[in-house]
Amino acid sequence: MTCFTLRASGLICPTGGELRYHLVMKPGMSSLSCYRGRFAPSPTGPLHFGSLVAAVGSYLDARAAGGEWLLRMEDVDEPRSMAGAADAILRDLESLGFAWDGEVAYQSRRTAHYRAAFERLRLDGSVFACACTRREVADSTLGPDAAPRYPGTCRNGLPPGREARAWRLKVGPGMVCFDDALQGRVCQDLAAEVGDFVVLRADGYFAYQLAVVVDDAEQGVTHVVRGADLLDSTPRQICLQRRLDLSQPNYLHLPAVVNAAGEKLSKQTRARPVDAIHPQASLVAALEFLGQLPPADLMGADLEDLWRWAIMHWNRSHLPRCRIAQAPAEF
Ligand code: GLU
């Protein structure tokens, strides 16, 4: 990495963020690192095994590299956020022994930042107002995997008599590709598969795609480690980063956790909340899911020892190289 400008207080990253010294040294590891990771749960319900895996994976990848780990509550979608869920997630993370750097960021308090980015896009003609309803888009063109693709109805102006609802980013032709640290090279023909996508929603909230890009850049995030259920969103985010002249973080998409029916764990699929009262069992299960195999005696160890082992032994090459994997039965 090309980021090492040493200062008394730490390191200056290309993104301008300062990083601290890491907590646990691995043998042979440099004592300085330029890595800022994050965990960004949506507070739509309690922490479940799927979100725990993303938390553990992003935490260990950051700490093993000597990096920082930030926490961001992705409550930009206020209608979907559940009262009390953000606090419950924070309490659970604390009980599970996670230690984050700095203050927790809340997307619901960052609207001005999203608006500034949106205004930039509007002024340079990158976005347009769209009158189409969800139903109209769903009833129109389908992309290759049968997902609705925006057919460009309002790209050149609203149809007569229709009113603006959402704002969409104009997507140009060509593949958007990136090298994922686990999944390898990923490419998407955004125009053919997704089409112009929403950045400001009909209900007035900024879309997740815009918020995440603005936040990752402004928070100086250098590495995004998250579930592969978001792999399809990454080309949209890269497209936005390019339009907004923001640097592109490194990506690593962990296998997304599914239940026995192959459904992604979520509140809708009635995923069980993680047991933060007995954190060892949940953490060991998450480590095993990630191919990191703690010795049996660590199950009874105290949390600090478990984390110390996990940071020391974190090994990306043991991660399962797949996009989805099944949760253990108890989750
Ligand atoms: N908030 C998203 C979720 O909980 C994660 C977004 C991200 O990591 O970029 O699924």
Side-chain angles (χ1 to χ4, degrees), residues 167-184:
W167 284 75
R168 292 178 180 269
L169 186 88
K170 281 184 193 158
V171 169
M175 289 284 180
V176 178
C177 296
F178 68 101
D179 292 306
D180 187 89
L182 183 62
Q183 308 290 342

Side-chain angles (χ1 to χ4, degrees), residues 17 28 62 65 67-69 75 103 155 164 171 235 248 259 288 291 321:
E68 276 191 320
W69 187 73
D75 54 358
E103 300 272 299
R155 200 174 220 242
V171 169
Q248 181 182 319
N259 61 22
E288 286 174 347
R321 206 171 285 272

Side-chain angles (χ1 to χ4, degrees), residues 38 40-42 72 74 208 212 224 226 229-230 237 264:
R38 49 59 157 193
S42 301
R72 183 169 76 228
E74 298 215 318
Y208 154 72
V212 79
V224 171
R226 60 186 179 189
D229 47 310
L230 290 160
Q237 293 169 16
K264 190 194 138 192

